[in-house]
Amino acid sequence: MNIRVSEYGPMFSRIVAGCMNWGEWGANLEVSQVQKLIEECLEIKVTTFDHADIYGHYTTEELFGKAIKNNSSLRNQLQLITKCGIKLVTPNRPDNKIKSYDISASYITQSVEQSLKHLHTDYIDLLLIHRPSPLMDPQEIAEAFVKLKKEGKVKDFGVSNFTTSQFEMLNNFVPLATNQIEISPLHLEPFLDGTLDQCLSKKITPMGYSTLAGGKFFANTTNERVMRINKVAHQLGEKYGATLDQILTAWILKHPSGILPIIGSTKVNRIKSAVQSLDIQMTNEEWFMIWEASTGSEVA
Ligand SMILES: NC(=O)c1ccc[n+]([C@@H]2O[C@H](COP(=O)([O-])OP(=O)(O)OC[C@H]3O[C@@H](n4cnc5c(N)ncnc54)[C@H](OP(=O)(O)O)[C@@H]3O)[C@@H](O)[C@H]2O)c1
């Protein structure tokens, strides 16, 4: 099942594959393994892949690009998201003296050119500003976006980690397709700070990252909050014949804004498991059981 991310925005798969850990920052996959993983994702109808210029210290887009270069029919079957705006201190960028954000028009344009080259593609389906900068100028960002769209290099634009006021500000200059945000039973803020309300009122679909808290639920832990959540999720898993990750993903999927979970696993069976969680229809009370386990108390 594919979903339109905003009124005129891109069509993405309901479950998105996150590529942050595919390369140097995680599994260090070979090009052939990346190609296989992409093909396996497509088989289970996960067609949208989430990147950022910085992943793997600016190397993971290139790894992915090499994998799709070997099979020219792949590009049209998938959607590519990438991000820009964070400047990391790394031997791959010797000019960066401290970590900083740059969302000037020239940096956005230069970053997109690099991403196109690295990903071996003529266009990016969705470009996100990775993090808000205190120095961002919405007029300048909008002009860069409009030019990139006109040139056919980027189809749609959005943001990540933006507050509601930052989103509103930029959206007044150029229509944004999404806000990609951290959200999980260990990160409840978007439910409370207006982020999801804004998505609902503007009819845009949020994208959720670290929906499995980067794997924290699966590690041996003495963290009481994680243990409480896992206990409830296991109970629900017994009822639904589902695994822990499936219950946690179903919890995210239940929100009416239609959050698109970005699954960060590098293993296709785990990505497939997330797809299967689409079949779980958790009840309202069950959703609140996980909420209560997270906060440690019943709602007011
Ligand atoms: N916009 C932003 O600022 C931002 C920030 C962070 C991430 N992201 C995006 O979101 C994606 C996901 O982020 P994340 O990696 O933090 O999220 P995640 O999906 O919460 O966690 C993935 C991690 O959990 C592990 N894991 C263990 N059991 C798992 C299971 N059953 N199912 C899935 N994963 C399991 C995975 O290891 P294995 O590989 O061994 O399965 C992997 O290390 C990233 O790839 C990136 O595309 C965006």
Side-chain angles (χ1 to χ4, degrees):
M1 179 179 124
N2 279 27
I3 190 163
R4 192 170 291 289
V5 173
S6 66
E7 206 175 351
Y8 306 105
M11 293 289 285
F12 283 167
S13 54
R14 192 70 183 82
I15 300 292
V16 173
C19 302
M20 184 174 75
N21 295 325
W22 289 27
E24 267 187 30
W25 282 2
N28 242 322
L29 301 179
E30 304 282 336
V31 175
S32 58
Q33 293 172 309
V34 172
Q35 188 173 340
K36 185 161 175 275
L37 186 50
I38 295 168
E39 287 166 356
E40 288 170 334
C41 283
L42 294 179
E43 273 166 31
I44 56 169
K45 308 257 183 304
V46 172
T47 59
T48 308
F49 296 83
D50 184 72
H51 284 272
D53 57 340
I54 57 170
Y55 291 167
H57 288 108
Y58 302 93
T59 63
T60 304
E61 284 184 331
E62 202 170 359
L63 174 70
F64 192 97
K66 284 181 183 159
I68 60 171
K69 189 184 165 195
N70 294 337
N71 181 350
S72 58
S73 70
L74 279 181
R75 179 61 186 101
N76 293 337
Q77 300 174 54
L78 48 87
Q79 302 84 44
L80 293 177
I81 302 167
T82 196
K83 316 184 191 82
C84 66
I86 301 180
K87 294 176 84 172
L88 293 183
V89 177
T90 158
N92 292 332
R93 291 290 184 279
D95 291 342
N96 297 352
K97 301 293 181 245
I98 64 159
K99 188 175 178 187
S100 64
Y101 304 141
D102 189 343
I103 356 183
S104 59
S106 63
Y107 191 77
I108 293 171
T109 308
Q110 174 198 324
S111 187
V112 165
E113 294 295 347
Q114 283 277 3
S115 292
L116 290 171
K117 194 166 144 221
H118 286 164
L119 289 164
H120 280 284
T121 183
D122 299 334
Y123 66 95
I124 289 159
D125 292 276
L126 178 68
L127 177 76
L128 306 177
I129 301 296
H130 206 151
R131 288 196 174 266
S133 165
L135 292 177
M136 65 189 160
D137 175 348
Q139 176 79 43
E140 184 177 346
I141 297 170
E143 281 168 15
F145 283 2
V146 168
K147 186 162 179 283
L148 287 166
K149 188 162 181 131
K150 223 173 172 180
E151 293 168 347
K153 292 177 179 170
V154 179
K155 292 192 170 176
D156 281 291
F157 301 88
V159 293
S160 180
N161 302 299
F162 269 43
T163 64
T164 52
S165 62
Q166 289 162 340
F167 187 98
E168 192 67 38
M169 175 186 70
L170 186 53
N171 195 52
N172 283 335
F173 287 78
V174 60
L176 299 173
T178 192
N179 192 3
Q180 187 179 116
I181 50 167
E182 181 176 0
I183 189 162
S184 77
L186 287 179
H187 194 88
L188 303 178
E189 286 80 350
F191 293 105
L192 302 166
D193 66 9
T195 304
L196 294 177
D197 307 339
Q198 182 177 53
C199 292
L200 280 163
S201 67
K202 293 195 178 302
K203 298 196 175 103
I204 64 155
T205 306
M207 303 184 68
Y209 74 80
S210 299
T211 51
L212 297 169
K216 284 199 192 87
F217 295 108
F218 314 105
N220 260 340
T221 180
T222 52
N223 180 302
E224 288 192 4
R225 191 177 180 201
V226 174
M227 284 164 50
R228 282 198 309 266
I229 296 166
N230 281 356
K231 192 173 162 204
V232 173
H234 277 303
Q235 280 168 14
L236 297 177
E238 278 180 21
K239 172 181 166 186
Y240 288 101
T243 51
L244 173 60
D245 57 296
Q246 288 173 336
I247 295 296
L248 295 168
T249 302
W251 189 81
I252 294 289
L253 291 168
K254 189 167 173 65
H255 193 269
S257 61
I259 303 164
L260 298 182
I262 311 169
I263 303 300
S265 180
T266 52
K267 302 185 172 69
V268 72
N269 60 334
R270 291 181 172 172
I271 302 172
K272 189 172 182 181
S273 181
V275 173
Q276 288 162 344
S277 61
L278 288 164
D279 295 332
I280 301 170
Q281 302 300 330
M282 189 179 283
T283 68
N284 196 65
E285 282 197 353
E286 287 164 352
W287 193 90
F288 275 96
M289 283 165 65
I290 291 182
W291 180 277
E292 185 180 287
S294 171
T295 61
S297 59
E298 66 177 16
V299 290

